[in-house]
Amino acid sequence: MAGTATFASEPAHGPSHQYAVGTPDLVDAACNAAEAAFWSYGYSSRQDRAAFLNAIADEIELRGPAITEIRTQETGLPVARLEGELGRTIGQLRLFASHILQGDYLDQRNDPALPDRKPAPRPDLKLVQRPIGPVAVFGASNFPLAFSTAGGDTAAALAAGCPVVVKGHSAHPGTGEIIAEAIHAAISRCGVHPGVFSLIQGGKRDVGTSLVQHPLINAVGFTGSLAGGRALFDLCAQRPNPIPFFGELGSVNPMFLLPAAVANRGGEIATGWAASMTMGAGQFCTNPGIAVLIDRPDADVFSDAATQALKATGAQTMLTDGIADAYRHGRDRVAGARGVSELLTTTCNMRNATPYLYATTGQAWLANEALGEEVFGPLGLIVRVKDQAEMVEVATTLKGQLTCTLHIDPDDTGMAKKLMPVLERKAGRILANGFPTGVEVCDSMVHGGPYPASTNLERPLWAHLRSAGSCARFATRVFPTA
């Protein structure tokens, strides 16, 4: 929705453009339009909603070249990465369309009547998921398509029958605007109520606050920082009628390297870790920032290999000046912590990011909770623990994570069995002999974890695809009786 005031974009390269600034009044208009749309869209057929989702995918696909051009300018991300994300976004929309046609998400149940039951008869009881009404979605900075204007949150809500008001991220307003145009083209094509989708961009903090606190909003989806997400989460809880907040807030995604794996292939694991850590300038929610291993001679092989692999990584452009500045502050926090030593230090300025690598002991880690806080960028910390018991202790002190990884060989099975009961309570997803960057779009993939990784543990990819069954998260259960 557009107002009269504008703000200028801050692209990584190319021309800056002006975009309409959101206001609380525009938020109110968008929410009222969404409520008006709900009375038809919320009661539309699954076939009609699937056709609408597929039409959105079609319209985005038609605009592919224009989307890629503006996204490369705004984000500085490489074309190949952005084209892959475009395909993923289109695929998510089509997957949701297919999923709702199957109807499994409705979770339909029926307990037939028992009229002759003693001492009291039972009526016929039915359960089915129904949409809850207008939903607010906050776009992510690091994924301008897959987790933003028409990303997983929006797709999930529309699939469930919920109109959406999106607060676009200021890092990529041009991308958001083109996607919004695609959605409105699909609205016209399918004859859907125009209030089913609105995009509000720019504005001060009061714009986001007014959206979360608007009485017609029934749930909020968010992907971003811990500080920003927690502020919105608290606003949702403080409303006169509290509403669900589905937020992904941050994770360091620790890897635990067990002794046999390090001895047999420590250098190979280190090289893979460096590649995963620096992918996309480290701007992934599943970026593996911590490696934990026992302090033995072969740990040096791992450290040396990681250092050499990271040295070969050049400067990369970060999404915004603010993100680049936060990365440097995170670097300074880690580098200045007691018991931390530098393995690789580089120089980065302005919007560029270069990798950093540090090492510390298990004892220092346990004494400094701040070492477990996320640094959004290509920074790694190796934690060398004295023995298996201290490795388990490090795992026990972890905050909630999106992922934890075990690098294991057959001789590590006994130790892995000691770690698994701890890690399965710390993370939404546990990997074996892999790296967490890369989230598969499918029903079995979980993208969530204990707080502060996310605000609800069992999110089947609701944050990124918020997969198949995830549209049920925008629904309530209804128990009618005969």
Side-chain angles (χ1 to χ4, degrees), residues 25-406:
D25 287 342
L26 288 173
V27 168
D28 182 61
C31 292
N32 280 285
E35 176 69 10
F38 180 69
W39 296 109
S40 57
Y41 188 74
Y43 297 88
S44 60
S45 69
R46 288 179 283 138
Q47 289 75 16
D48 286 346
R49 295 203 302 276
F52 179 44
L53 291 171
N54 280 318
I56 295 173
D58 292 342
E59 295 293 341
I60 291 174
E61 201 165 29
L62 287 172
R63 292 162 175 80
I67 292 169
T68 298
E69 180 181 6
I70 191 69
R71 283 188 307 157
T72 55
Q73 293 175 2
E74 290 183 325
T75 67
L77 295 171
V79 171
R81 148 76 195 274
L82 293 172
E83 288 182 344
E85 188 186 340
L86 177 64
R88 175 175 175 168
T89 304
I90 292 168
Q92 289 175 176
L93 289 160
R94 298 199 191 284
L95 186 148
F96 269 114
S98 174
H99 178 71
I100 60 175
L101 290 175
Q102 296 169 16
D104 294 343
Y105 80 99
L106 292 169
D107 192 21
Q108 297 184 82
R109 308 179 196 179
N110 180 208
D111 288 300
L114 298 173
D116 299 323
R117 189 181 68 177
K118 304 297 182 183
R122 182 181 76 190
D124 184 82
L125 298 173
K126 294 183 174 66
L127 177 152
V128 65
Q129 300 279 5
R130 289 292 304 147
I132 61 176
V135 167
V137 171
F138 285 74
S141 64
N142 58 338
F143 282 85
L145 287 173
F147 314 147
S148 291
T149 308
D153 287 349
T154 299
L158 293 176
C162 299
V164 179
V165 180
V166 172
K167 174 64 172 70
H169 199 285
S170 58
H172 38 75
T175 304
E177 190 170 274
I178 295 177
I179 297 298
E181 291 170 354
I183 295 174
H184 280 286
I187 287 172
S188 298
R189 174 173 154 187
C190 296
V192 176
H193 190 295
V196 77
F197 173 84
S198 295
L199 171 66
I200 296 175
Q201 306 210 87
K204 298 180 180 179
R205 184 171 297 180
D206 60 344
V207 175
T209 298
S210 62
L211 178 56
V212 171
Q213 294 188 318
H214 199 284
L216 295 177
I217 292 297
N218 293 274
V220 176
F222 171 86
T223 300
S225 69
L226 173 58
R230 182 56 198 247
L232 296 178
F233 178 64
D234 290 345
L235 287 173
C236 287
Q238 292 163 5
R239 286 173 39 138
N241 57 323
I243 58 174
F245 177 81
F246 300 102
E248 179 202 309
L249 311 182
S251 180
V252 296
N253 306 293
M255 305 190 313
F256 292 83
L257 285 64
L258 303 195
V262 175
N264 295 332
R265 48 193 179 87
E268 176 186 341
I269 297 171
T271 302
W273 180 42
S276 180
M277 187 199 315
T278 58
M279 182 184 296
Q283 299 169 119
F284 284 84
C285 51
T286 52
N287 180 41
I290 308 294
V292 185
L293 71 167
I294 294 175
D295 190 11
R296 309 188 322 175
D298 49 24
D300 293 333
V301 175
F302 174 83
S303 295
D304 292 344
T307 302
Q308 292 304 314
L310 291 171
K311 279 183 179 179
T313 303
Q316 300 179 74
T317 303
M318 300 202 85
L319 292 159
T320 67
D321 291 330
I323 289 173
D325 188 54
Y327 173 58
R328 290 188 287 271
H329 282 293
R331 170 204 63 192
D332 295 342
R333 170 172 52 80
V334 173
R338 179 176 296 181
V340 172
S341 59
E342 294 180 347
L343 298 181
L344 174 65
T345 182
T346 55
T347 301
C348 63
N349 52 38
M350 300 182 68
R351 200 160 159 174
N352 294 323
T354 50
Y356 291 86
L357 184 62
Y358 300 93
T360 192
T361 64
Q363 183 179 8
W365 168 278
L366 294 169
N368 187 351
E369 186 177 340
L371 291 177
E373 296 176 4
E374 181 183 29
V375 178
F376 195 60
L379 182 147
L381 177 63
I382 298 174
V383 181
R384 296 175 70 142
V385 297
K386 62 184 179 182
D387 53 26
Q388 295 185 17
E390 192 168 73
M391 180 176 282
V392 173
E393 187 177 3
V394 166
T396 302
T397 61
L398 286 172
K399 296 179 181 178
Q401 305 292 327
L402 295 173
T403 73
C404 285
T405 298
L406 283 171

